[in-house]
Amino acid sequence: MNQSVTIELRQWIVEHAAAGFSREAVMASMVASGWQEAVARKALETTWKDPAPVLTQPAPAVRRDGVRHLPDLDLSLSPRQIDAGDRMVDVIASLNQPRVVVLGNLLSADECDALIESARPQLARSLTVATKTGGEELNPDRTSSGTFFARGQTPEVARIEARIARLLHWPIENGEGLQVLHYTPGAEYKPHYDYFDPDEPGTPTILKRGGQRLATLVMYLSEPARGGGTTFPDAGLEVAPVRGNAVFFNYDRPHPSTRTLHGGAPVIEGEKWVATKWLREREFT
């Protein structure tokens, strides 16, 4: 399997160097996360600078009153379940840094099937944002196929979007269209960040459609027999793809300090279907 040194990997190395981790520890972490040793070594050699760099962190998203304002769940009373309007959603596990919440029973079996069947005829090789231009491009790190739905395009999509808006306290119109992805054996999405890098020339164009991404919700529509988990290398966490469950995470700034590096581990046996919802600062057009 071919791997390449990505901008996300370089950012991750810079962050960990600035945090005081040794070269050896960073190298071991990369290899443990699935990077080939030769690729990891090349990334270190071309990225690591002595002395270790000091990072300047961009300011977080804030309201006018100075309080951070992000899509999030209210877990202040440690609930076992949360009322999402038309169903009760289970809180399975949560982390504070990075902010990651694993949810159960977010989707019904019928909803999972309906999304898969609606998406199946429209599938095409998944693209990623072209950070140089603001468009889209093929990326060898992402080997799934998928399709986007417009907001409210089908009854199932509209119902799920309303549920997500209530659950995360974020307007429906601030969400990108739901994306359904299909992974067959060997397909994966290598570790990456979902925010738009402010240093890339295409980012201003991307931000015109609704500002920065602030949060991600990945919903599992099927269960591969082996593999296919959602990994968070900085947190040492892997979320199993359980049908109807979901994983939510947010990021208050477009910076590796959010520790939201994540990826879709390769499917080993079976197939994986997921639906992803990205949430923006403003109305997504």
Side-chain angles (χ1 to χ4, degrees):
M1 186 183 301
N2 293 327
Q3 295 182 343
S4 59
V5 178
T6 63
I7 187 172
E8 291 84 5
L9 182 59
R10 291 182 186 278
Q11 290 174 327
W12 184 87
I13 292 171
V14 169
E15 179 198 1
H16 281 68
F21 289 91
S22 68
R23 285 175 180 261
E24 292 76 15
V26 172
M27 178 71 179
S29 180
M30 284 190 288
V31 172
S33 298
W35 289 94
Q36 296 168 359
E37 185 172 347
V39 176
R41 193 173 303 282
K42 179 181 178 181
L44 273 176
E45 291 173 351
T46 57
T47 304
W48 191 287
K49 307 296 181 184
D50 290 318
V54 176
L55 299 183
T56 300
Q57 298 181 4
V62 296
R63 293 199 302 252
R64 289 183 179 179
D65 58 10
V67 178
R68 294 183 184 184
H69 188 44
L70 295 169
D72 206 350
L73 300 100
D74 182 5
L75 303 183
S76 58
L77 299 179
S78 300
R80 191 181 69 81
Q81 292 185 314
I82 297 178
D83 185 356
D86 60 346
R87 69 192 291 112
M88 298 300 292
V89 175
D90 299 326
V91 179
I92 296 175
S94 65
L95 292 175
N96 288 326
Q97 185 52 249
R99 179 58 160 174
V100 178
V101 183
V102 182
L103 301 168
N105 193 42
L106 179 61
L107 303 180
S108 69
D110 287 344
E111 288 171 333
C112 292
D113 290 341
L115 286 176
I116 291 172
E117 292 312 309
S118 295
R120 196 185 296 274
Q122 309 176 56
L123 293 178
R125 172 69 186 273
S126 298
L127 304 176
T128 58
V129 172
T131 54
K132 302 297 182 186
T133 65
E136 294 181 315
E137 62 185 0
L138 284 174
N139 186 332
D141 289 344
R142 190 181 202 186
T143 52
S144 61
S145 58
T147 188
F148 275 96
F149 290 96
R151 285 196 303 266
Q153 182 171 332
T154 70
E156 302 83 39
V157 169
R159 184 168 61 250
I160 293 167
E161 287 174 333
R163 189 179 304 155
I164 292 170
R166 174 164 176 152
L167 191 68
L168 302 179
H169 308 283
W170 207 252
I172 290 176
E173 61 269 21
N174 289 22
E176 296 182 28
L178 199 68
Q179 185 184 41
V180 174
L181 297 171
H182 181 218
Y183 294 80
T184 53
E188 64 177 325
Y189 194 179
K190 293 176 183 175
H192 60 281
Y193 298 99
D194 280 353
Y195 58 72
F196 304 116
D197 186 343
D199 294 330
E200 290 291 341
T203 294
T205 299
I206 298 167
L207 298 185
K208 290 178 181 178
R209 299 190 65 191
Q212 263 294 354
R213 284 177 177 169
L214 300 178
T216 303
L217 181 71
V218 178
M219 297 163 278
Y220 304 108
L221 309 181
S222 69
E223 298 180 10
R226 291 191 297 154
T230 303
T231 62
F232 294 86
D234 290 349
L237 174 67
E238 180 169 346
V239 179
V242 177
R243 189 184 196 203
N245 286 8
V247 59
F248 165 80
F249 53 101
N250 63 24
Y251 23 98
D252 66 353
R253 64 198 75 194
H255 194 270
S257 61
T258 59
R259 302 179 67 211
T260 54
L261 185 72
H262 66 285
V267 172
I268 299 172
E269 180 183 352
E271 59 180 355
K272 180 178 79 168
W273 289 83
V274 300
T276 302
K277 188 73 170 176
W278 289 289
L279 302 175
R280 297 284 195 103
E281 291 178 291
R282 303 185 299 276
E283 181 178 358
F284 179 74
T285 58

